[in-house]
């Protein structure tokens, strides 16, 4: 007769009651790990067995144990749809995955034991900003994410990096002066003839619409824009920040 019993490594519970067998009759025990587990070793009356099956001949009461451990789980760092920037995700114990809007290169997949704690740090490339985590790290606040490898669904995560470009107000070599202010905030520049003072350049996210308003001084009127605002039909000028601006 065949008796099937189940052991769970999490809480040590079992459905394996003691079994009565004929003295000196061979008894074969076979371990069949579930999909999330790996057989490691026998103990007790089966300690000498080397495979997943153990056959013992009993002359007296005996017990056998089995050690089953969780299978290693893959941790994956993946690109995030809708991002515009680049950066890298580094592991606390070494190695990193480089992310672009469409690719992940480097150490972007690791197989780790269940219960392993992993510390990940997101670092944007120059001209980019970090904008949060996705997936298994979505709840992390800031550029550092700490996760514990679960016994279940393999964790997948991503870091959002957004590209920035600098918008600059330049003097136009004309007579007169004006103050140019941006929305979103960043630029507050006073232009007077061929000179300028104040915050005349600032980074903005690629894809952002930046509104520039020129307020002339009392002796001046705004007669148009140059550069990226040349096509503007008046004041203000709205610039959509592009990757190549």
């Amino acid at each position: 007769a065949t008796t099937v019993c189940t052991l769970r490594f999490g809480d040590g519970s079992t459905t394996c009651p003691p079994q009565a067998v004929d003295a000196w009759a061979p008894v074969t025990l076979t371990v069949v790990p579930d999909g999330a587990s790996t057989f490691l070793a026998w103990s007790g009356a089966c300690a000498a067995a080397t495979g997943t099956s153990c056959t013992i001949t009993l002359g007296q009461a005996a017990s056998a144990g089995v050690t089953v451990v969780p299978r290693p789980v893959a941790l994956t760092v993946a690109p995030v749809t809708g991002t515009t920037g680049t950066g890298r995700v580094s592991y606390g114990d070494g190695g990193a995955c480089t992310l672009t809007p469409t690719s992940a290169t480097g150490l972007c997949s690791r197989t780790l034991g269940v219960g392993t704690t992993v510390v990940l740090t997101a670092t944007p490339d120059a001209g980019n900003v970090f904008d949060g985590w996705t997936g298994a790290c979505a709840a992390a606040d800031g550029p550092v994410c700490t996760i514990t490898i679960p016994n279940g669904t393999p964790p997948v995560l991503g870091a959002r990096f957004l590209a920035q470009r600098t918008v600059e107000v330049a003097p136009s070599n004309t007579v007169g002066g004006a103050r140019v202010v941006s929305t979103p905030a960043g630029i507050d520049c006073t232009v007077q003839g061929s000179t300028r003072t104040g915050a005349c350049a600032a980074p903005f996210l690629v894809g952002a619409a930046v509104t520039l308003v020129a307020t002339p001084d009392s002796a001046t009127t705004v007669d148009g824009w140059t550069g990226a605002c040349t096509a503007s039909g008046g004041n203000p000028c709205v610039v959509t920040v592009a990757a190549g601006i």
Side-chain angles (χ1 to χ4, degrees):
T2 299
T3 299
V4 177
C5 60
T6 302
L7 301 94
R8 293 192 301 180
F9 62 81
D11 57 12
S13 65
T14 177
T15 62
C16 300
Q19 300 292 312
V21 298
D22 294 334
W24 305 110
V27 177
T28 298
L29 305 173
T30 302
V31 178
V32 182
D34 63 22
S37 305
T38 300
F39 166 73
L40 190 62
W42 293 96
S43 60
C46 284
T50 57
T52 55
S53 292
C54 165
T55 300
I56 54 177
T57 301
L58 301 176
Q60 59 184 4
S63 64
V66 61
T67 300
V68 178
V69 296
R71 288 185 183 275
V73 175
L75 168 68
T76 302
V77 180
V80 179
T81 301
T83 57
T84 58
T86 60
R88 68 184 184 279
V89 174
S90 304
Y91 301 91
D93 59 353
C97 175
T98 298
L99 293 176
T100 74
T102 58
S103 68
T105 57
L107 187 58
C108 301
S109 181
R110 297 181 64 182
T111 301
L112 300 163
V114 170
T116 301
T117 298
V118 184
V119 179
L120 302 158
T121 303
T123 305
D125 291 337
N128 298 265
V129 294
F130 170 69
D131 190 47
W133 297 93
T134 63
C137 280
D141 183 16
V144 177
C145 169
T146 301
I147 63 173
T148 300
I149 301 301
N151 181 32
T153 303
V156 178
L157 60 96
R160 292 177 52 84
F161 296 113
L162 302 179
Q164 291 183 316
R165 294 295 182 268
T166 298
V167 175
E168 182 176 5
V169 175
S172 58
N173 294 315
T174 58
V175 177
R179 179 188 179 194
V180 179
V181 177
S182 68
T183 302
I187 292 175
D188 188 346
C189 178
T190 298
V191 178
Q192 186 69 45
S194 60
T195 63
R196 61 180 180 172
T197 56
C200 297
F204 296 94
L205 294 176
V206 168
V210 179
T211 300
L212 299 170
V213 177
T215 303
D217 59 28
S218 58
T220 307
T221 59
V222 176
D223 191 41
W225 298 86
T226 60
C229 282
T230 299
S232 176
N235 185 24
C237 162
V238 179
V239 176
T240 298
V241 181
I245 194 169

